[in-house]
Structure formats: C-alpha cells, structure tokens
Amino acid sequence: MSEKRLSLLELNGLVRELIEVEMPNEYWVEAELSECRESRGHCYMELIERDDHTATPVARASAKCWASKWALVKPYFERTTGQQLRAGLKVLLKVYPQFHEAYGFSWIVTDINPNFTLGDQARRRQEIIRQLKEEGVFDLQRELRLPLFCLNIAVISSQTAAGYGDFCNQLADSPFTFRTQLFPATMQGEGVEQSIIAALEAVYEANMANMANMAHESHETYKPNPFDCVVIIRGGGATSDMSGFDTLALAENVANFPLPIITGIGHDRDESILDMVSHQRVKTPTAAAAFLIDHAQAVFDALNDAQQRITRYAQLRFQTQEAQLSTLNTQLSTLVERKLTNEVHRLELFKEKLKALDPTLLLRRGYSITLKDGHTVRDPKTLLPGDKIETRLEKGTIKSSVI
C-alpha cells in the first residue's frame, strides 16, 4: 500500500486547519436549545433545529460559552428577557467554529441576542392568549365571585419559600381567623407547569372530599370546610425564571378551575399568562395576604354598617309606633268617654221606659192583672171551668176558681 497513512491526530489536525482557514469569521445562527447547563463557570449547550411542519429534528450541534464570555452574556440576557436560558427557548447566537483534535467539533458562543428570544416568546404568548380566547376560557376566572367570608385558603407554593412564610404570618397577625392549607409545588425551573397542575388537582379533590364530609357527617363531628379560594404564591426565588407560568396547559387549568385563584408570584416586569387568566393578580405573597385581609375587612365593615342601619331603622320605627300608639291612646280615651256618656244616656232612657211599663203603676190606677200558673191571662177563652186563677190588685191578691 503506497498511499501515505495519517494518524487520527494528524487527520483531525488537518480538519482543524481547514476550518480555521475556510471559516475564520463569526456567524449569527438561529436555533432552539435542547439542553443548557453550567459547569465551572462555563455554559454547555445542545442546539437543535426542527422541521416547521413535523417538528422533527433536522440538525443538531454542540455549543460552548466560556466563563469569560458567559459572565457577561448571562446577566444581560436575564435582565433583558426576565428569565434564564433553558431548554425549549429559541435563541440567536453569535458563534465561530472550533475543532479540537481530542474533543471534536463545537460552536463557540461569543454573544446572545436577547431581543430575538423576546420576540419569539412574545409570539408564543400571543398564540397562547389567542387560543385561550378562542376556547372561551380566558375570562372565566374573572366571572367568579370571591365568597363574602373568604377565610379558608388553599395555598400552592414551595414549602421552603420565604414568601409562603410571610403570607401565613401576615394572615395570622390580622384580626380575622384564616385557615390555610399548603399544597406544595415547584415554583421555579422546568417542573413548574406540571407541579402546579398537580397541586390544583389535589386542591380540587380535597375540596370535593370536604364537601362530601359536610353532607354526610353529623354536626357534632368537626370536618374541615371547603376552600373558598386558591392562592398561588412564589417568593424568595429568582425573578429571572418565569417561563413556567407562561404555558398553555397551566393557563387552561387555572382558567377552568371552579374556585377563584389569586396569583402573587413576585414578578413586577410583565404579567405572566397565569396572571392574565387568574381571578386576581397581585405582585407578591404579602400583597396576596393584604388583598384577603382587605376583603375580609370590607365585608366586616359592610356588615357593621348594615347592623347600625338596621338598629337605627328599628329605633326610628319603635319611636314612630310609640308616637302613633300615644296618639291612638288619647283618641281612644276620648272615644271611650263619649261612648260611656252615650250609653249612660241610653240607660236613663231605658229606665224611664221601664218605669212607664211597670205593672204596679197600672194597679195604682185601678187596673188588675189576672194570672194562671204565674202567666198573665189575656183571653178568657183560654180558661176552663175549675182553673185556679189569681187576680192582683193595688192593695192585694184575690184567688178564685173558674165556674
């Protein structure tokens, strides 16, 4: 065999020299991150391009950003986009090729354009919002009414988050008795979507169980009340990673949830899609607690005001009725007196009439009264021979028999 043989090192060296000569420039390349990890200050990426119609990968490559560049690129990207570089993001990278005899080919990243990623995210957000509106669920949460006595709160948060502790402490310091139950969830990173969805399912199942217990258990057995609302809070984590709150699946679950959902995920820059579809969005966990306390205070004030108005109305009604009763009492006294006078006059008239009908007056005038068995005899034909009769005169009585 007369052809010259090369060692692998020599062959790779030729490739390196060819690339350095033929591709000496830097290039802007669009790609999707399929992997992104840091190690010892460097960032290692896996790039992918998918077919627009089938989403099948049509190109792959590895990329690296050395620590000296990464220390500048990373904070600028996060400040501009409000999130960390992660798998699934579309990015515009400035790269140059590098081939190492021992480690092979890689693109070396020298810059990242955050505006490209923002534009892609904006397009994805608008597409999700459009789809939610087409489904008719975008405004469903705002159609729900927060219960008047909103005191039983289901909380979705990380158990170790400082914001969760602040939320509970603020409720505990209020003049109202709130009951909270934590449903732990991941609030940062790639697991946010599925973790919060799972927590929402747990809240729903617990609420249905509580309602069933209330329906079947006796009043003497204490059972937890159903939840009045759900609070999703996030505090103490990095504000640069909000991508998990901008997903279609999470937005659909929140929008269709049967209880009002309050979000306080601690991000001032822009509203997440989760914020947009929730019943009420506040900035921080403590703001969520303040919202619930203010709601309870408003209900308390309204009830107190209603009580005062009812008391005033009752007092006014009592005073009115008392005045009417006093007037009626005066009128009644006058009427009674007049009635009594009239009746006394009538009695006098009856007495005079009775005097005129007194039979003793007739007897004094020379008339007599004949009685049979104590009854006045008006017709002699009613008498039979042998009947005993009694004749009363002014000065005595004559007893005789009928012949």
Side-chain angles (χ1 to χ4, degrees):
M1 186 174 181
S2 58
E3 294 182 4
K4 181 181 179 182
R5 290 178 295 180
L6 300 174
S7 67
L8 180 59
L9 178 62
E10 291 173 330
L11 182 60
N12 283 353
L14 290 175
V15 173
R16 177 179 58 78
E17 291 174 1
L18 180 62
I19 289 175
E20 289 175 352
V21 172
E22 296 297 329
M23 300 182 67
N25 301 318
E26 294 183 327
Y27 308 90
W28 285 103
V29 59
E30 299 178 14
E32 177 185 331
L33 291 177
S34 63
E35 183 179 336
C36 183
R37 59 185 176 84
E38 292 185 61
S39 178
R40 299 181 180 180
H42 310 298
C43 181
Y44 297 88
M45 310 172 193
E46 292 297 325
L47 309 180
I48 192 171
E49 181 178 343
R50 301 179 187 274
D51 183 90
D52 291 337
H53 302 289
T54 64
T56 303
V58 294
R60 294 179 182 273
S62 296
K64 302 181 182 71
C65 187
W66 303 124
S68 58
K69 286 289 186 181
W70 184 241
L72 301 174
V73 168
K74 176 184 177 182
Y76 176 66
F77 181 88
E78 292 181 353
R79 284 195 309 270
T80 305
T81 64
Q83 64 177 307
Q84 296 173 335
L85 281 165
R86 58 175 178 81
L89 283 185
K90 293 285 186 65
V91 290
L92 180 61
L93 308 175
K94 193 173 187 180
V95 299
Y96 67 85
Q98 184 183 76
F99 188 88
H100 190 278
E101 289 84 347
Y103 302 111
F105 180 84
S106 181
W107 293 104
I108 305 302
V109 179
T110 60
D111 199 2
I112 304 176
N113 187 337
N115 294 319
F116 174 84
T117 302
L118 279 175
D120 180 69
Q121 286 182 312
R123 286 189 295 272
R124 289 178 61 244
R125 281 165 56 93
Q126 289 303 315
E127 176 61 24
I128 291 173
I129 291 170
R130 182 194 62 78
Q131 188 168 340
L132 291 170
K133 289 182 176 179
E134 284 185 357
E135 293 172 4
V137 301
F138 189 79
D139 295 316
L140 284 182
Q141 272 282 315
R142 278 180 284 278
E143 295 175 6
L144 299 177
R145 292 178 65 96
L146 202 65
L148 287 179
F149 302 99
C150 190
L151 301 175
N152 300 304
I153 317 299
V155 184
I156 297 178
S157 180
S158 170
Q159 188 168 10
T160 58
Y164 170 64
D166 294 340
F167 173 82
C168 293
N169 291 335
Q170 189 159 341
L171 291 184
D173 291 338
S174 76
F176 307 102
T177 303
F178 289 93
R179 183 183 71 88
T180 62
Q181 181 175 339
L182 176 66
F183 292 81
T186 299
M187 304 303 288
Q188 185 173 344
E190 296 182 17
V192 168
E193 177 190 79
Q194 291 303 319
S195 184
I196 295 180
I197 291 175
L200 286 171
E201 292 174 353
V203 172
Y204 179 79
E205 292 173 0
N207 211 45
M208 295 301 293
N210 289 343
M211 294 176 68
N213 287 336
M214 290 182 66
H216 293 94
E217 294 291 337
S218 67
H219 295 294
E220 299 167 350
T221 304
Y222 171 76
K223 292 293 179 181
N225 293 324
F227 297 111
D228 299 314
C229 73
V230 179
V231 174
I232 301 177
I233 52 177
R234 173 185 186 269
T239 59
S240 59
D241 188 7
M242 301 295 295
S243 56
F245 302 100
D246 280 336
T247 70
L248 177 62
L250 179 56
E252 288 175 331
N253 274 268
V254 169
N256 286 286
F257 203 74
L259 295 177
I261 294 179
I262 301 167
T263 57
I265 55 179
H267 187 49
D268 293 333
R269 183 179 184 84
D270 294 303
E271 278 189 311
S272 67
I273 295 178
L274 177 65
D275 292 322
M276 294 179 185
V277 299
S278 66
H279 176 79
Q280 177 68 38
R281 181 245 181 167
V282 295
K283 291 182 179 180
T284 62
T286 53
F291 174 80
L292 291 170
I293 294 170
D294 289 345
H295 175 77
Q297 186 66 54
V299 173
F300 176 81
D301 292 342
L303 290 175
N304 189 51
D305 180 64
Q307 182 184 29
Q308 292 178 358
R309 285 189 285 111
I310 291 172
T311 301
R312 288 195 300 269
Y313 175 79
Q315 290 174 343
L316 180 61
R317 187 71 174 171
F318 177 78
Q319 292 170 357
T320 303
Q321 295 296 324
E322 188 176 37
Q324 291 177 348
L325 184 60
S326 177
T327 302
L328 289 173
N329 185 44
T330 302
Q331 294 174 347
L332 184 61
S333 298
T334 303
L335 291 173
V336 169
E337 290 178 3
R338 185 180 304 167
K339 185 70 173 175
L340 286 173
T341 302
N342 291 338
E343 293 301 318
V344 168
H345 179 66
R346 289 180 61 195
L347 285 175
E348 292 296 327
L349 292 177
F350 280 129
K351 285 171 67 177
E352 294 300 321
K353 289 180 180 181
L354 287 174
K355 286 180 181 180
L357 297 175
D358 189 351
T360 58
L361 295 177
L362 294 175
L363 295 177
R364 290 174 185 172
R365 296 175 186 171
Y367 293 99
S368 65
I369 299 174
T370 302
L371 303 174
K372 177 183 179 294
D373 298 330
H375 299 285
T376 303
V377 177
R378 300 178 181 275
D379 187 352
K381 294 179 181 180
T382 62
L383 298 176
L384 297 175
D387 286 342
K388 304 294 182 179
I389 59 176
E390 180 180 312
T391 302
R392 292 183 180 178
L393 304 173
E394 178 184 2
K395 295 182 178 181
T397 301
I398 301 172
K399 294 182 180 180
S400 58
S401 300
V402 178
I403 300 175

